[in-house]
Amino acid sequence: MNLADSNGVTHSPASCKNSYPARVLYIDALKVVSIFMVILIHTTCNIYAVFSDSWWQYYFLSCLPVFAVPCFFMCSGALVLCKSEPVLVFLRKRVLKLVICLFFYSTLYIFFRKYILSEDIVLSRQVLSIWREQKFHHLWFMYPLISLYLITPFLQILLQKATLEIKKYFVVLMIVVPTIFISLHLVLYAQYTWMPSLYWIFPALGYFVLGYLLHNDLYGYIAGKYKHAVAGALHGLFFVLAITYWSTLYQQKAPSKLYMSADQLPVLIYSVAVFILFQSLENVLEKLSLLVKKGIASVAKVTMGIYALYPLLMHYIGNIDLGFIRATNNLGSGLEILLGTFVYFIASWMLSLGLSKIRYVRVLV
């Protein structure tokens, strides 16, 4: 098992059963791609509803990044469920940091909404209700993640003692079955199916444990099988595109984003295949130069900061028009939107990297 070297560069383990490296290269690489895709989701989230001669570009760009959020949950599960450390140490290192981030960024965005976006909100009510509702559209992610981390000490013990068969059963029960129900529910417009009300923290818990299972128990079956992973990812993306396109034709308008959410069976297939793809390319990633590995690590270490700050930078940077080329947000061609996503990604990364160098601020990134 390769550990992070003295330069802090990420290396990949074969398994986490016996020990755990400081960083895991394929997970870091997946986190970098996923955070870029999260920003892409929000630079295309409104434009697909605006039909034009180039609507298919927005349709494709809206579907392409839907693996990002499920992969973040799987990465978290792969990383923390392998560890074995005192409960108080884990809570202090993981949960306390997330709670601090949640309250800081929620408060920041409350003031942003009040004084920059001029929303008619009462500051005291908004601050006092942080614990029970998100204060900006992207902060929802922190609530299920905090819940998962709170039960992680229990999950660590259960998973260490459980057989592979029991782990597979848990994943099927918590992610496969409900995604089938919800997908059928939406496709059939709730005429013949319903969602059982027995699932807690769905689909986050299922993805969380699935990441652990793929990383810890099924790694030996996955390593090197990148062709199968590519085929799986393409099939998953095709299913996402197909159901979204079918719904567009059926409703004669852009469908709800529910068809692209993490609780859909096509998104599950797509996301798992992408996760496995990065696992299977581990040997390729290991051959990257030291400089590239350091770059991957520098982005992966501040994904929380990038995630929390990119909406602010999207607002203040706005659309860039250089005459010969534009970088845009929910505006223009597909290429211009991709350039805009790249600009917001780089700006968020640089700001987060700078904040990570400040002693009492680095906890926020």
Side-chain angles (χ1 to χ4, degrees), residues 102 252 273 311:
L102 172 63
Q252 290 299 303

Side-chain angles (χ1 to χ4, degrees), residues 161-225:
K161 297 182 179 297
T163 64
L164 180 59
E165 183 180 16
I166 291 296
K167 294 174 186 177
K168 290 179 179 179
Y169 170 72
F170 182 88
V171 168
V172 170
L173 181 66
M174 291 306 302
I175 190 71
V176 178
V177 171
T179 55
I180 292 174
F181 269 101
I182 290 182
S183 298
L184 290 174
H185 182 81
L186 290 173
V187 169
L188 300 175
Y189 297 99
Q191 296 180 37
Y192 308 106
T193 62
W194 65 93
M195 175 61 188
S197 57
L198 55 86
Y199 289 97
W200 180 67
I201 323 183
F202 169 78
L205 179 57
Y207 281 115
F208 194 62
V209 177
L210 178 57
Y212 165 84
L213 183 65
L214 292 172
H215 180 69
N216 187 58
D217 292 284
L218 302 180
Y219 181 90
Y221 301 100
I222 293 169
K225 297 180 180 178

Side-chain angles (χ1 to χ4, degrees), residues 311-322:
L312 288 177
L313 294 171
M314 286 174 64
H315 175 81
Y316 284 107
I317 294 175
N319 297 316
I320 301 172
D321 190 346
L322 301 177

Side-chain angles (χ1 to χ4, degrees), residues 35-297:
I35 194 61
F36 179 86
M37 290 298 181
V38 166
I39 300 175
L40 179 61
I41 288 173
H42 291 100
T43 57
T44 60
C45 60
N46 297 319
I47 198 166
Y48 180 44
V50 181
F51 281 89
S52 68
D53 293 337
S54 301
W55 73 270
W56 61 270
Q57 297 182 46
Y58 313 137
Y59 152 69
F60 181 78
L61 289 177
S62 295
C63 294
L64 177 66
V66 297
F67 68 84
V69 171
C71 280
F72 266 121
F73 281 122
M74 286 191 281
C75 287
S76 295
L79 291 173
V80 303
L81 292 175
C82 292
K83 287 189 172 184
S84 180
E85 55 190 354
V87 174
L88 291 180
V89 173
F90 177 83
L91 294 178
R92 186 181 71 251
K93 288 171 58 178
R94 297 281 183 171
V95 179
L96 181 60
K97 176 180 177 178
L98 273 179
V99 170
I100 291 172
C101 287
L102 172 63
F103 277 85
F104 175 82
Y105 287 117
S106 295
T107 304
L108 176 65
Y109 279 100
I110 289 170
F111 280 87
F112 176 71
R113 290 166 55 197
K114 176 73 172 179
Y115 295 110
I116 304 302
L117 301 182
S118 301
E119 291 187 19
D120 184 18
I121 57 176
V122 180
L123 291 177
S124 59
R125 291 181 181 177
Q126 291 292 319
V127 171
L128 290 174
S129 61
I130 288 174
W131 66 275
R132 62 182 175 84
E133 62 183 18
Q134 68 196 58
K135 298 306 173 182
F136 212 68
H137 59 82
H138 70 308
L139 295 178
W140 71 269
F141 183 81
M142 293 187 181
Y143 293 89
L145 193 57
I146 290 172
S147 299
L148 290 171
Y149 280 2
L150 285 172
I151 64 171
T152 288
F154 300 103
L155 291 175
Q156 288 171 335
I157 295 173
L158 292 173
L159 291 171
Q160 288 171 8
K161 297 182 179 297
T163 64
L164 180 59
E165 183 180 16
I166 291 296
K167 294 174 186 177
K168 290 179 179 179
Y169 170 72
F170 182 88
V171 168
V172 170
L173 181 66
M174 291 306 302
I175 190 71
V176 178
V177 171
T179 55
I180 292 174
F181 269 101
I182 290 182
S183 298
L184 290 174
H185 182 81
L186 290 173
V187 169
L188 300 175
Y189 297 99
Q191 296 180 37
Y192 308 106
T193 62
W194 65 93
M195 175 61 188
S197 57
L198 55 86
Y199 289 97
W200 180 67
I201 323 183
F202 169 78
L205 179 57
Y207 281 115
F208 194 62
V209 177
L210 178 57
Y212 165 84
L213 183 65
L214 292 172
H215 180 69
N216 187 58
D217 292 284
L218 302 180
Y219 181 90
Y221 301 100
I222 293 169
K225 297 180 180 178
Y226 61 89
K227 292 182 179 179
H228 296 82
V230 170
L234 290 176
H235 278 84
L237 177 58
F238 171 79
F239 292 144
V240 173
L241 291 166
I243 191 173
T244 304
Y245 183 68
W246 172 81
S247 180
T248 302
L249 294 179
Y250 185 87
Q251 300 182 51
Q252 290 299 303
K253 63 180 181 179
S256 166
K257 290 295 179 182
L258 288 174
Y259 291 97
M260 306 168 193
S261 62
D263 55 11
Q264 297 298 299
L265 183 60
V267 176
L268 170 63
I269 296 170
Y270 184 26
S271 304
V272 171
V274 171
F275 188 94
I276 291 174
L277 175 60
F278 276 79
Q279 278 187 300
S280 64
L281 292 175
E282 183 177 47
N283 291 333
V284 176
L285 293 170
E286 288 287 0
K287 296 175 182 178
L288 295 173
S289 68
L290 182 64
L291 181 63
V292 173
K293 290 180 181 179
K294 284 185 174 182
I296 292 173

